[in-house]
Amino acid sequence: MANPNQKFFKVRLASMHPNRQIEFDLYIMIDNHHVLYLRKGTKFEGDKLVHFMARRADQFYVRDEDRDVYKNYVKDRVHDEGLTAGEKAVILKESSFSLVEELFENPSVDKALEESKFIISNFVDFIDAEPSAVASLIGLSSHDFYTYNHSLDVCVYSIGLGQKAGFTSKTDLLDLGRGALFHDIGKRKVPVEIITKKGALDEAEWAQMKRHPLYGLQLLNDFPDISDAIKACVFEHHENHIGNGYPQGLKAGEIHPMARIVALTDTYDALTTKRSYNKPMEPGEALTLMKEKLAGRFDPELLRIMYNVLFAIK
């Protein structure tokens, strides 16, 4: 049994590949105590990992002092030549889910912004190295509208679309990925009863919700090393091409190119995710709706690229 003062972070089981040696101790939670399950230097053999996932999904923990070791383990697996692109995508996406969940639950915005660099860098490197990376990652989209699930999916879509739209430098893709990941960070300042309300918001609640881009910008302005591109993704992702978006009513070329990407991917993910008050659309149905009925909201060239890329994948 672990020291009661020891801190842990949660990891998802699918972030570990069967038959690959782990480099950190793994714990499970039993009666509110962390109990050692698998020692450093051993591995899940055969179907053991699959069987455990079926019984106790998301119940592994790693000591906080081994955080960097876990990150290096994930990075090594994503560069493991013995794994397929699909296997690497699962490891990367599953490891990112647990880390992103922690980011959004962390009251320290500063730490969340810093930790995000590792997550986004992994996605950018993977997409750059694997021809089928975008298709593999998109195929793993959660289609569940929890804040961190939605934000991670929007991040993946945005990096993939951004690369196809001509953003090829790692610096640009890192900014786009971080901007997409934190596009809704301003919702931290929106009352939780509005965020979690089932059904439509009333006029006063909607007015509060529409302030989240401004709240997000205000949060990011406290950190001087955050680029203007990241701020634009947060502040402008609800602007639209014909100028009737919010909060500024910007139109077309007035909107930052990266924010135009996040506007597209945010809408697509919202249409295709399950929420308590609506039925999600099928990917093809959502893409057709965006192309035929919502086209005026989006940069037409980006919409064309997204439609062609996602429709081919889906």
Side-chain angles (χ1 to χ4, degrees):
M1 190 174 297
N3 183 329
N5 296 320
Q6 176 71 59
K7 294 182 178 180
F8 293 82
F9 63 97
K10 185 169 64 176
V11 299
R12 291 167 68 113
L13 303 188
S15 69
M16 288 164 280
H17 192 276
N19 303 320
R20 290 297 196 274
Q21 181 175 295
I22 60 170
E23 298 160 11
F24 38 81
D25 291 339
L26 276 176
Y27 292 77
I28 56 175
M29 183 77 78
I30 298 178
D31 295 331
N32 292 319
H33 295 287
H34 292 94
V35 178
L36 181 65
Y37 176 75
L38 205 61
R39 290 191 180 278
K40 170 184 175 180
T42 54
K43 58 186 178 181
F44 289 96
E45 297 185 4
D47 294 330
K48 190 173 184 179
L49 179 59
V50 176
H51 291 160
F52 202 100
M53 286 175 64
R55 292 187 293 114
R56 300 181 62 90
D58 294 338
Q59 291 297 309
F60 276 122
Y61 297 83
V62 175
R63 292 177 300 178
D64 203 52
E65 64 196 60
D66 288 332
R67 184 180 295 271
D68 287 341
V69 179
Y70 173 74
K71 288 180 178 179
N72 288 333
Y73 170 85
V74 171
K75 196 164 189 175
D76 288 345
R77 295 291 75 74
V78 173
H79 291 90
D80 189 333
E81 294 183 358
L83 301 182
T84 67
E87 290 172 323
K88 293 176 183 179
V90 169
I91 291 170
L92 181 55
K93 195 77 178 284
E94 292 295 314
S95 64
S96 298
F97 268 129
S98 56
L99 294 174
V100 168
E101 178 181 358
E102 188 176 34
L103 292 189
F104 279 90
E105 292 180 354
N106 193 320
S108 171
V109 175
D110 192 15
K111 183 176 180 182
L113 291 171
E114 183 61 33
E115 288 289 316
S116 71
K117 293 178 182 177
F118 166 78
I119 297 170
I120 306 305
S121 182
N122 277 345
F123 278 114
V124 172
D125 288 345
F126 179 50
I127 288 173
D128 187 55
E130 295 280 354
S132 62
V134 173
S136 298
L137 290 169
I138 287 175
L140 298 173
S141 297
S142 63
H143 299 306
D144 242 333
F145 200 91
Y146 295 103
T147 296
Y148 44 88
N149 287 8
H150 168 67
S151 295
L152 186 58
D153 284 343
V154 170
C155 172
V156 169
Y157 292 136
S158 295
I159 294 173
L161 177 58
Q163 188 186 52
K164 296 293 185 183
F167 289 102
T168 55
S169 78
K170 185 168 183 178
T171 298
D172 282 344
L173 290 173
L174 285 172
D175 276 354
L176 176 56
R178 293 176 78 202
L181 185 66
F182 290 108
H183 73 282
D184 277 341
I185 193 172
K187 288 183 178 178
R188 284 176 176 242
K189 292 190 174 184
V190 176
V192 67
E193 59 269 20
I194 294 178
I195 298 292
T196 58
K197 182 179 178 180
K198 296 181 179 180
L201 302 180
D202 63 31
E203 187 174 339
E205 291 167 337
W206 181 235
Q208 273 276 65
M209 180 66 83
K210 288 175 69 174
R211 293 184 63 81
H212 79 268
L214 176 60
Y215 294 148
L217 179 63
Q218 290 170 339
L219 281 170
L220 296 185
N221 277 337
D222 290 335
F223 305 99
D225 63 332
I226 298 301
S227 72
D228 288 343
I230 295 173
K231 293 177 184 178
C233 290
V234 171
F235 191 45
E236 299 176 10
H237 69 278
H238 283 295
E239 304 289 354
N240 67 45
H241 200 68
I242 57 176
N244 61 359
Y246 64 89
Q248 302 176 91
L250 302 179
K251 63 174 63 175
E254 296 173 340
I255 307 168
H256 193 285
M258 290 188 187
R260 291 179 231 163
I261 290 173
V262 178
L264 262 173
T265 58
D266 181 37
T267 299
Y268 172 77
D269 193 67
L271 291 172
T272 57
T273 52
K274 181 181 179 181
R275 308 196 203 189
S276 59
Y277 55 86
N278 77 331
K279 180 181 178 182
M281 289 185 176
E282 291 296 322
E285 182 185 7
L287 288 167
T288 299
L289 174 70
M290 292 173 69
K291 184 172 182 285
E292 295 181 356
K293 295 185 178 180
L294 304 179
R297 297 185 184 183
F298 308 114
D299 181 313
E301 178 60 14
L302 288 176
L303 182 57
R304 183 191 66 79
I305 295 170
M306 183 174 178
Y307 183 86
N308 290 341
V309 171
L310 287 182
F311 201 85
I313 291 172
K314 294 296 185 179

